[in-house]
Amino acid sequence: MQKTRTVTKTEHTVPALAGTPIVLDHVGFTYQAADTPSLDDVSLTVREGEFIVISGPSGAGKTTLARALSGVLVHAYGGDLTGSISIAGKYADEYEDVTDLSRQVGMVFDDADAQLIFTTVEEEILTGLETRGLSADEVAKKLDEIYTITCTGHLKDRAPHALSGGQKQRVAMAAALSRETPILVLDEATSELDKNARRQVYMLLKSLTDRGHSVVLVEHMTGETLGYATRMIRLENGRVVYDGEPVAETFTCPEIPKTSVPGETILSAEHLTHRFGEVLALDDVSLTFAKGEIVAILGENGSGKTTFVKHLNGLLCPDCGHVVLNGEDITGKSVSEIAKTVGLVFQNPDTMLFENTCEREILFGLKNVGNPDPAAARAALVAVGLGGKAHVNPRHLSRGERQRLALACVLAMDQQIVIMDEPTTGLDMQESYEIMRVLTGMRNAGKTILMVTHNPALAEKFSDRIVEMEAGHVTAVRGGA
């Protein structure tokens, strides 16, 4: 990846402020091949002991601002940078590399998978502790402390790649905390956590700032941070439009009518059981799904939601039980054959995006089903609010925009069943409503929508039925809206 054009030492007109955690002075940044800047003349100072929450719609520049505040924007991303970034009394470009920066700033990215590289959770956390010159006894004590405050002790021997999205976020945070840096920047680090887990994270971050650490959190659930955060910054179109006391951001969701009733059963899971080693992820789960309904699947992190839906399109095979699609057992069918009927948008959209433009991303799937129609690709982009992004590189989109692009890829395929694993991750209430408007339209057209979510309010308002899971079991099935 090409390095950014950094601001050189000779261009720095004033010294970096000694003792100040972070200072951005008239910072602008435009990614390579992008037409508009992601940051536009942003100036702000992060002080010791502050807990700052950053809000704004998808594409506002929140992730780019987080990268700037951590200094990695200067060292790891291609584009054009103006202005200056100083961290802990030193300009970001004066640090040798990201490793050098990491002694001052811990960063938790919106994609936990990109940070987790070791074979066990314990290795992920130990790596940070072992760089601090602690004795063996101190390392063991700190390790236990981190396990306790991040609720990851029961995962210590698990492979990070085999964890749920929320569990991965906990581990990524634990790894960042292990370095005990004076500054911590988190980009949507709670997006895949349930409400109780998010509250635990906010309490943890508040305790860090009480000890003098500086914390910056990019977050859409801003109302939940009230009482913890000390300052709020809102971005729109790359510019700071609000910087002050934390306030509740509200949105009144318009009604979206359901114009039909669910029809006959199209998909059923019968007595599904699945183990990952000694972990019983699914335990005798049986459910049916009808044509033309939205079903929300709720449960805490690690309850088995994602494991369950991966059985419905053949990505996982059960140890016991089977899945019936349109009256036929899918056992023995290939994933590509099942995908003609069942589409899946992953919890992390980055796992399914690899082309260099949004349009080509959608066309890849259409080619696989023999319909490489650019018009269909563009129509899908318009439907999810990305009509002007056809030729933009997906890696230059925000997390929320990438989520919508992943939905567009499935929407264009015109499958009978669409499974959405956390469809509103990284989206604010307005954007979440737009996604639900699209999904409800698909439901009204007779398609079946399965939606894994941590948002009970969203489930209650838009689903026809709600399935609740806990520890691999279905604990309740009830009506939604």
Side-chain angles (χ1 to χ4, degrees), residues 265-267 324-329:
T265 296
I266 188 173
L267 177 68
V324 176
L325 173 63
N326 282 323
E328 295 185 18
D329 191 330

Side-chain angles (χ1 to χ4, degrees), residues 72 97 119 237 320 337 345 350 407 414 466:
V72 300
D97 50 26
T119 56
N237 299 316
C320 298
E337 186 177 359
V345 178
D350 296 328
L407 173 57
D414 198 29
I466 296 173

Side-chain angles (χ1 to χ4, degrees), residues 133-279:
L134 303 173
S135 68
D137 287 343
E138 289 173 321
V139 167
K141 180 181 178 182
K142 290 288 186 183
L143 182 60
D144 285 341
E145 289 176 357
I146 291 171
Y147 282 151
T148 299
I149 62 178
T150 60
C151 300
T152 52
H154 66 294
L155 304 173
K156 65 179 183 178
D157 297 320
R158 298 274 302 276
H161 68 83
L163 301 178
S164 72
Q167 290 170 332
K168 289 175 182 177
Q169 286 193 322
R170 284 180 181 269
V171 174
M173 189 170 301
L177 291 173
S178 69
R179 297 181 179 274
E180 209 164 300
T181 54
I183 305 166
L184 185 61
V185 179
L186 308 100
D187 185 12
E188 296 284 0
T190 67
S191 61
E192 296 176 19
L193 299 179
D194 56 68
K195 187 173 183 177
N196 183 57
R198 290 196 299 270
R199 184 170 61 251
Q200 292 173 347
V201 169
Y202 304 146
M203 292 172 62
L204 167 61
L205 299 179
K206 180 64 166 60
S207 71
L208 291 176
T209 59
D210 288 344
R211 305 202 316 261
H213 294 254
S214 301
V215 172
V216 179
L217 172 68
V218 175
E219 179 63 273
H220 280 296
M221 302 289 188
T222 54
E224 296 182 7
T225 67
L226 298 179
Y228 303 101
T230 59
R231 179 179 167 195
M232 176 182 285
I233 294 172
R234 181 171 177 83
L235 287 184
E236 292 181 8
N237 299 316
R239 298 182 69 90
V240 175
V241 296
Y242 177 84
D243 185 349
E245 294 289 327
V247 294
E249 298 180 303
T250 60
F251 170 70
T252 301
C253 184
E255 292 297 323
I256 303 176
K258 294 176 181 175
T259 59
S260 61
V261 297
E264 62 186 11
T265 296
I266 188 173
L267 177 68
S268 63
E270 301 178 4
H271 304 289
L272 296 186
T273 299
H274 192 95
R275 289 182 178 273
F276 293 108
E278 297 182 357
V279 178

Side-chain angles (χ1 to χ4, degrees), residues 444-455:
N444 290 342
K447 298 186 184 301
T448 303
I449 311 297
L450 278 59
M451 179 177 72
V452 173
T453 180
H454 281 125
N455 191 327

Side-chain angles (χ1 to χ4, degrees), residues 1-6 29-34 38 64 67 72-81 395-396:
M1 184 179 293
Q2 184 175 335
K3 189 175 177 179
T4 65
R5 182 194 69 77
T6 61
F29 188 81
T30 304
Y31 288 99
Q32 288 176 348
S38 293
T64 306
R67 292 168 178 170
V72 300
L73 190 66
V74 173
H75 291 275
Y77 294 90
D80 183 52
L81 173 69
R395 289 181 291 278
H396 295 160

Side-chain angles (χ1 to χ4, degrees), residues 232-405:
M232 176 182 285
I233 294 172
R234 181 171 177 83
L235 287 184
E236 292 181 8
N237 299 316
R239 298 182 69 90
V240 175
V241 296
Y242 177 84
D243 185 349
E245 294 289 327
V247 294
E249 298 180 303
T250 60
F251 170 70
T252 301
C253 184
E255 292 297 323
I256 303 176
K258 294 176 181 175
T259 59
S260 61
V261 297
E264 62 186 11
T265 296
I266 188 173
L267 177 68
S268 63
E270 301 178 4
H271 304 289
L272 296 186
T273 299
H274 192 95
R275 289 182 178 273
F276 293 108
E278 297 182 357
V279 178
L280 182 59
L282 289 181
D283 186 6
D284 194 31
V285 173
S286 295
L287 288 166
T288 61
F289 305 97
K291 292 181 179 180
E293 72 168 343
I294 296 178
V295 179
I297 303 175
L298 301 179
E300 295 188 354
N301 298 123
S303 62
K305 305 183 302 296
T306 297
T307 300
F308 171 66
V309 297
K310 284 185 176 179
H311 282 78
L312 303 181
N313 72 340
L315 285 178
L316 289 176
C317 296
D319 298 325
C320 298
H322 54 275
V323 174
V324 176
L325 173 63
N326 282 323
E328 295 185 18
D329 191 330
I330 68 170
T331 303
K333 293 182 181 292
S334 68
V335 173
S336 59
E337 186 177 359
I338 298 168
K340 294 176 182 177
T341 304
V342 184
L344 172 63
V345 178
F346 290 95
Q347 190 173 35
N348 180 357
D350 296 328
T351 60
M352 57 188 294
L353 302 177
F354 53 88
E355 288 283 3
N356 59 13
T357 73
C358 294
E359 182 174 285
R360 291 184 63 178
E361 199 72 66
I362 299 173
L363 284 172
F364 177 84
L366 290 175
K367 289 175 183 176
N368 287 340
V369 295
N371 180 34
D373 182 6
R378 289 192 290 271
L381 287 170
V382 170
V384 299
L386 295 176
K389 306 281 187 178
H391 302 296
V392 173
N393 191 312
R395 289 181 291 278
H396 295 160
L397 299 177
S398 70
R399 169 64 183 260
E401 288 173 326
R402 299 197 304 275
Q403 193 78 19
R404 283 187 276 157
L405 175 58

Side-chain angles (χ1 to χ4, degrees), residues 48-186:
E48 288 184 4
E50 283 196 302
F51 181 172
I52 300 175
V53 60
I54 298 175
S55 70
S58 294
K62 301 185 301 297
T63 290
T64 306
L65 179 58
R67 292 168 178 170
L69 292 169
S70 67
V72 300
L73 190 66
V74 173
H75 291 275
Y77 294 90
D80 183 52
L81 173 69
T82 58
S84 64
I85 303 168
S86 65
I87 297 171
K90 185 175 177 180
Y91 284 104
D93 58 303
E94 294 177 327
Y95 288 88
E96 184 176 346
D97 50 26
V98 172
T99 300
D100 192 17
L101 269 168
S102 69
R103 298 183 178 93
Q104 296 294 332
V105 187
M107 178 81 185
V108 182
F109 294 93
D110 62 348
D111 179 9
D113 286 298
Q115 292 180 263
L116 303 177
I117 60 175
F118 292 96
T119 56
T120 68
V121 166
E122 187 158 290
E123 286 181 274
E124 293 285 355
I125 302 171
L126 277 176
T127 300
L129 291 172
E130 291 171 347
T131 64
R132 293 168 52 188
L134 303 173
S135 68
D137 287 343
E138 289 173 321
V139 167
K141 180 181 178 182
K142 290 288 186 183
L143 182 60
D144 285 341
E145 289 176 357
I146 291 171
Y147 282 151
T148 299
I149 62 178
T150 60
C151 300
T152 52
H154 66 294
L155 304 173
K156 65 179 183 178
D157 297 320
R158 298 274 302 276
H161 68 83
L163 301 178
S164 72
Q167 290 170 332
K168 289 175 182 177
Q169 286 193 322
R170 284 180 181 269
V171 174
M173 189 170 301
L177 291 173
S178 69
R179 297 181 179 274
E180 209 164 300
T181 54
I183 305 166
L184 185 61
V185 179
L186 308 100

